[in-house]
């Protein structure tokens, strides 16, 4: 005959195991939420780094990219933080869609985004598509908001040390080279226009 004390002990053990399982599940969910950005739904720096590190170890032919939204501060200053949040949320959705099933996107903070994707012969064209995608207008409370994007990428196979740290550093350098070219290009395009405006009053006086 089974000892009732053993039955009670067994039930207590089962209750403890079930309790710990529920606790572990809740803890895992909280940790998972902490690794996701609440605004965009993307991985935060810590969560993305963990996943990107695993991706790089499994797929040597991967590429890491960094994207910085150009003109985002102006949106915040002119239209308010709610408008800025709308732009960030849209950028997160577009980056996720662009990455597809074989890439992982994240938000490092502010208007800086990151992703690890499969490297292929079309990567340069795909990055141009992403820049155009992030440039598409965002509608917010009857206002059309537009930002640009500076994107830098690093192919793991092209790096002397194919690590995530090295890839992020190379992508960051590439991004700022792109940003510098963009700014110089704007100055070159705007300079002739300002010259015309400066000379306009003199021409008006001569015409009078």
């Amino acid at each position: 005959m089974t000892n009732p004390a053993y039955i009670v002990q067994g039930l207590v053990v089962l209750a403890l195991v079930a309790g710990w399982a529920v606790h572990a599940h809740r803890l895992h969910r909280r940790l998972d939420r902490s690794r996701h950005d609440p605004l965009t739904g993307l991985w935060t720096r810590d969560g993305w780094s963990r996943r990107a590190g695993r991706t790089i170890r499994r797929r040597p032919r991967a590429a890491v990219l960094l994207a910085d939204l150009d003109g985002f501060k102006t949106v915040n200053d002119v239209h308010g933080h709610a408008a800025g949040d709308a732009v960030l949320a849209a950028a997160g959705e577009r980056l996720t869609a662009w990455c597809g099933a074989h890439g992982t996107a994240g938000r490092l903070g502010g208007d800086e985004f990151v992703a690890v994707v499969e490297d292929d012969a079309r990567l340069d064209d795909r990055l141009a598509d992403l820049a155009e995608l992030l440039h598409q207008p965002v509608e917010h409370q009857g206002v059309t908001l537009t930002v640009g994007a500076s994107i830098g990428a690093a192919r793991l196979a092209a790096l002397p040390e194919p690590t995530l740290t090295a890839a992020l550093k190379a992508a960051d350098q590439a991004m700022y080279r792109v940003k510098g070219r963009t700014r110089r290009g704007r100055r070159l395009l705007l300079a002739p226009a300002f010259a015309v405006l400066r000379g306009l009053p003199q021409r008006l006086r001569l015409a009078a």
Side-chain angles (χ1 to χ4, degrees):
M1 181 176 179
T2 305
N3 191 329
Y6 292 153
I7 296 176
V8 172
Q9 289 177 359
L11 292 174
V12 170
V13 170
L14 287 175
L16 289 173
V17 170
W20 277 110
V22 170
H23 175 73
H25 178 68
R26 289 176 178 172
L27 186 63
H28 177 75
R29 289 183 62 184
R30 289 176 184 172
L31 183 62
D32 188 62
R33 284 197 299 268
S34 71
R35 291 177 178 169
H36 279 88
D37 173 44
L39 177 62
T40 63
L42 299 180
W43 291 97
T44 59
R45 182 189 296 270
D46 181 59
W48 180 85
S49 297
R50 291 170 183 269
R51 293 178 67 86
R54 290 197 294 267
T55 298
I56 287 172
R57 287 192 293 272
R58 291 197 303 264
R59 300 175 185 172
R61 290 190 60 80
V64 170
L65 69 91
L66 285 171
D68 185 80
L69 300 183
D70 301 326
F72 176 74
K73 184 177 184 301
T74 300
V75 170
N76 259 345
D77 292 345
V78 174
H79 302 286
H81 290 289
D85 287 349
V87 169
L88 293 174
E93 290 179 4
R94 294 167 183 180
L95 180 58
T96 299
W98 178 85
C99 284
H102 301 294
T104 304
R107 181 187 175 202
L108 298 183
D111 61 340
E112 289 188 320
F113 295 85
V114 66
V116 59
V117 294
E118 195 77 31
D119 185 12
D120 58 34
R122 293 194 61 254
L123 181 60
D124 291 340
D125 291 335
R126 289 165 57 205
L127 291 174
D129 292 341
L130 176 60
E132 182 62 29
L133 190 62
L134 294 175
H135 183 62
Q136 295 300 309
V138 176
E139 299 297 331
H140 174 71
Q141 296 183 350
V143 178
T144 301
L145 308 169
T146 306
V147 295
S150 296
I151 303 171
R155 289 179 163 92
L156 268 295
L159 297 176
E161 184 183 0
T163 64
L164 180 59
T165 300
L168 284 170
K169 182 178 179 180
D172 183 66
Q173 293 171 344
M175 182 185 73
Y176 277 96
R177 286 195 297 270
V178 170
K179 189 178 289 290
R181 286 199 301 270
T182 302
R183 288 177 176 172
R184 285 195 296 272
R186 287 174 180 168
R187 284 199 293 270
L188 288 172
L189 288 172
L190 291 173
F194 284 128
V196 170
L197 291 173
R198 283 196 298 268
L200 187 58
Q202 182 178 0
R203 287 194 293 272
L204 290 175
R205 286 196 299 271
L206 292 175

